[in-house]
Structures are given as C-alpha cells and as structure tokens.
Amino acid sequence: MGVQPPNLVCKKETCRASKVPTINLSMDRSVVSQQILRACEEYGFFKLINHGVSNAIVSMIEEESFDFFAKPASEKQQAGPPNPFGYGCKTIGLQGDTGDLEYLLLEGNPSSVSQKSKPISNDLQIISGVVSEYVQALRGLTCDILDLVAEGLCLGDKSVLSRLIKDVESDAVFRVNHYPPFDQTPKVLNPAHKFQTEDADTSANNDESSRVGFGEHSDPQILTILRSNDVGGFQFFSQEGFWIPIPPNPAELCVIVGDTFQALTNDRFKSARHRVLANSSNKPRLSMMYFGAPSLNARICPLPEMVSSHNPTLYKPFTWCELKKAAYSLRLAGQRLDLFNSKPKLWAPTPNEGMIDPIFEAWNLRLQKE
C-alpha cells in the first residue's frame, strides 16, 4: 500500500483549510446572508472577520483565565467539579470520556453569570465579571447571525430563530478550555509555567499521535461561537469525509452549527463534528466558546418552511431539555439526534456510545411495540 509523503499530506490539508468560508460581516447584508446560508449548508462551519467583538474584552478574559489555570491544583479543585458550573480537569461529560485539558464552565446568560459563579468560588466570580460583557456581545452576535439565516431562508418570521437565544431563560453556556503543552520527546505531560492539573501522578505515556485534547463530537445547541489564541489543534469534519485543521487566528471567530439547528432546518444544515488534537506546541492553547441554546422547555421541531411533501419532517418534536438529557446520557461521540428521528430505528450503543439513563431503554421497548 502506497503512503503519501508528509509534505503532500500537509499541502492537501492546507488546500482544504483554505476553502473553509471566511465571512466578512462588514459587507452588504444581503451578500452576508447568502454567504452564511451557503456555509451552513455546505460545511456547518465558517469563520467570521470584522465581527465587532472587542479585543480588549477578549484580552481581559485570557489574562484572568491564564491566572486561574496557573494556580495549584488544590486551589482550582475548590471550584469543581462542575455541577453544572465550575472547574473540571480531563473528565468530559458523565460517561467516561477524557481529554488532555482542564476547563471552566460558566453560566452563559449575561444577566446571571456573576450571580451563579459566586457560590462556587471567589476566583470564578472574578473571571465572571469580565465574562459577562463578552457573553453579552456574543449573544448579540449569535442573534444577528440567526436573523441573517432567517432572511436567507426567506422565513416568514425573521426573528423566529433569534428569539430562542433572546429568551430570558436561555440555557446558554460559556466554556474556557486550557490545553497544556506536551513534550513530544518523552511523550509525557510537560506542564507550562506554574501549570498543575493534579497534585500527584501526571504521567501519560501514550503515543503522542493517539492523544486527543477534546474528542470528536457535535454540539447539541443551536450555534457555537469559538475563539482561540494562536495555538492550533482545532479540526472539523467535512461533508467529504476529511478532518480539516483550522489554522489559529485570534482575530477570527469560528461559528459551528449545532444539533438543534440541524433539527430546526430539517437537515438542510448539518451539525459540524469537530475535535481538538492534543497540544504539541511549546505554549498552552486557550479557547473560549459561547454555546447559544434555547430555554429548557423550548419546543424544537423543523420549521414549517423547511417541510414539504417532497421533504417530510425528519424529527418528532422535542424540548431542549430532552436533547440536553440525551447529550449527557451518551458518550461524547454519540449521535443524539437519532433518538428523535420521526421514524427512528432501534438503537444500541456502540463502543463509543455508552448510556445509563433508563429513559432510553424504555424508548427502545416502545419502538418494538409500534
């Protein structure tokens, strides 16, 4: 079997990355609307420039975040584990997934970021003070993007999507991920200056090529807006079946279509699966994500304009709470939307899709009777 030279593989990856849509929000609104629509249909992912989010706010969050992650593990652990907000290290979700990272989860509703962080930790309350203004900006940006999508889709109600985010009970979340650098020679954890994730054993002798910073998954929410520092590692899975690395650019924002958006558009948009490779740089990677979500009791189903006799509805109505519960009950790579197909098949967990909630056992039993 022939093996492609490394430089050829690198050139192909660079070529694919260069085709990823980069959208300039300062252009004519009708043009931007169509560009966003096309990017959501073809990629489920795009990059934004001239987005209007203050660099000063981002710098403040980075500074406060790096200060927090530089603290001794014993101090950081006082702010965790996340329940649902707080500090976490290596553990992702509830079903045994892990990654080479530590993170902070914070309330994503601007009006209550600080209030809900105060009972967890004084450190988090300090960070939440600068996060609140950033989240407010990203919430507005998310609503603008959704309105542009509604215009591109010629929806009768141009605010039908953004209202889900503007809801005072919106279940949005803000996350900061910190990926420490790794020494590629001995293949063991090489802590950054003052960085600690554990007090004792931090050995990791796996082959570097098998390391994953954050495993393959899709986001269950409507939209995710991601910003990272100048350290790479982020990749998304194209509809052609390739993992496309996204070169880091702190001036850009990445927009990712989530599962809820896929359901709302009746699969016209597909949620983008993505991952982060373990950090092989000599400096830490810091990324921050705003996950735009509706309220827990929001009813999700394909929009009327997305359904026709030739394109019947693909999903039964469900609430955001039900989809969120499915996300927590499956492994990170689980295909949670399959549970809400209008004509679902019997489902069983694969090696990458564990589940513990008996609600899904009842689901399969009910299907057998239908």
Side-chain angles (χ1 to χ4, degrees):
M1 180 176 66
V3 178
Q4 296 183 13
N7 62 335
L8 180 58
V9 175
C10 183
K11 287 180 180 178
K12 284 188 176 182
E13 289 182 342
T14 302
C15 180
R16 292 181 186 127
S18 66
K19 295 180 180 179
V20 174
T22 298
I23 297 174
N24 185 345
L25 278 186
S26 67
M27 295 178 64
D28 180 79
R29 185 175 181 85
S30 61
V31 173
V32 172
S33 175
Q34 289 303 311
Q35 288 180 342
I36 291 177
L37 188 64
R38 192 177 309 116
C40 289
E41 291 174 337
E42 297 179 4
Y43 294 88
F45 175 92
F46 57 93
K47 298 183 289 183
L48 281 181
I49 59 174
N50 292 323
H51 43 70
V53 178
S54 168
N55 289 329
I57 302 175
V58 173
S59 298
M60 290 172 64
I61 296 176
E62 278 197 339
E63 182 179 352
E64 294 291 348
S65 297
F66 276 127
D67 285 348
F68 175 82
F69 290 122
K71 294 178 181 293
S74 58
E75 289 187 29
K76 290 181 288 189
Q77 288 165 357
Q78 293 176 16
N83 185 31
F85 306 118
Y87 169 76
C89 178
K90 297 193 175 181
T91 299
I92 302 173
L94 305 175
Q95 306 302 321
D97 291 289
T98 60
D100 284 326
L101 81 162
E102 57 179 346
Y103 56 89
L104 287 172
L105 279 172
L106 297 173
E107 162 74 42
N109 196 323
S111 62
S112 53
V113 173
S114 183
Q115 177 185 356
K116 292 192 177 181
S117 300
K118 186 175 181 179
I120 303 174
S121 161
N122 287 333
D123 288 325
L124 293 196
Q125 190 180 16
I126 294 173
I127 295 175
S128 68
V130 295
V131 166
S132 181
E133 188 174 354
Y134 183 65
V135 166
Q136 180 70 47
L138 290 188
R139 184 187 195 186
L141 178 59
T142 300
C143 290
D144 289 343
I145 293 171
L146 293 176
D147 286 344
L148 285 163
V149 168
E151 293 171 20
L153 292 174
C154 299
L155 301 183
D157 182 353
K158 299 299 188 291
S159 301
V160 64
L161 297 171
S162 60
R163 272 201 305 272
L164 295 169
I165 304 298
K166 292 177 181 177
D167 191 321
V168 293
E169 300 296 328
S170 167
D171 192 44
V173 174
F174 182 74
R175 182 178 182 124
V176 182
N177 286 345
H178 181 246
Y179 301 87
F182 282 84
D183 186 337
Q184 299 182 60
T185 305
K187 307 295 191 292
V188 298
L189 184 64
N190 177 24
H193 181 57
K194 296 183 179 180
F195 174 83
Q196 294 183 20
T197 57
E198 299 175 5
D199 286 323
D201 182 20
T202 57
S203 63
N205 296 313
N206 298 335
D207 182 80
E208 192 270 337
S209 63
S210 66
R211 284 190 175 280
V212 175
F214 203 111
E216 174 190 347
H217 65 287
S218 61
D219 296 330
Q221 292 86 356
I222 300 175
L223 278 183
T224 300
I225 298 185
L226 177 149
R227 188 266 180 193
S228 69
N229 64 352
D230 57 354
V231 178
F234 178 83
Q235 300 180 335
F236 84 96
F237 197 67
S238 72
Q239 295 183 18
E240 290 77 25
F242 300 103
W243 282 107
I244 300 180
I246 301 301
N249 185 340
E252 295 176 340
L253 294 175
C254 295
V255 181
I256 307 169
V257 170
D259 294 337
T260 300
F261 213 0
Q262 176 173 329
L264 287 167
T265 60
N266 205 35
D267 277 11
R268 180 162 175 174
F269 300 167
K270 292 291 183 71
S271 58
R273 300 187 71 80
H274 50 285
R275 67 183 182 183
V276 178
L277 300 184
N279 185 3
S280 59
S281 172
N282 60 0
K283 61 183 291 188
R285 169 182 167 87
L286 190 79
S287 59
M288 51 188 77
M289 289 73 62
Y290 170 80
F291 299 96
S295 64
L296 290 173
N297 62 358
R299 184 175 181 270
I300 307 300
C301 63
L303 297 166
E305 292 90 341
M306 299 293 100
V307 178
S308 68
S309 59
H310 301 292
N311 188 33
T313 182
L314 299 176
Y315 299 99
K316 294 181 178 180
F318 57 88
T319 65
W320 163 241
C321 182
E322 290 170 330
L323 181 59
K324 186 176 180 180
K325 189 173 185 179
Y328 279 119
S329 298
L330 299 177
R331 294 292 298 272
L332 184 62
Q335 301 281 356
R336 57 190 77 92
L337 269 184
D338 288 350
L339 295 169
F340 303 97
N341 285 344
S342 57
K343 295 182 179 179
K345 299 177 181 179
L346 291 182
W347 182 87
T350 67
N352 291 324
E353 297 177 336
M355 74 175 185
I356 59 171
D357 196 324
I359 188 173
F360 296 105
E361 296 179 14
W363 178 280
N364 275 348
L365 288 174
R366 191 184 78 181
L367 290 177
Q368 291 172 357
K369 295 177 182 179
E370 292 182 351

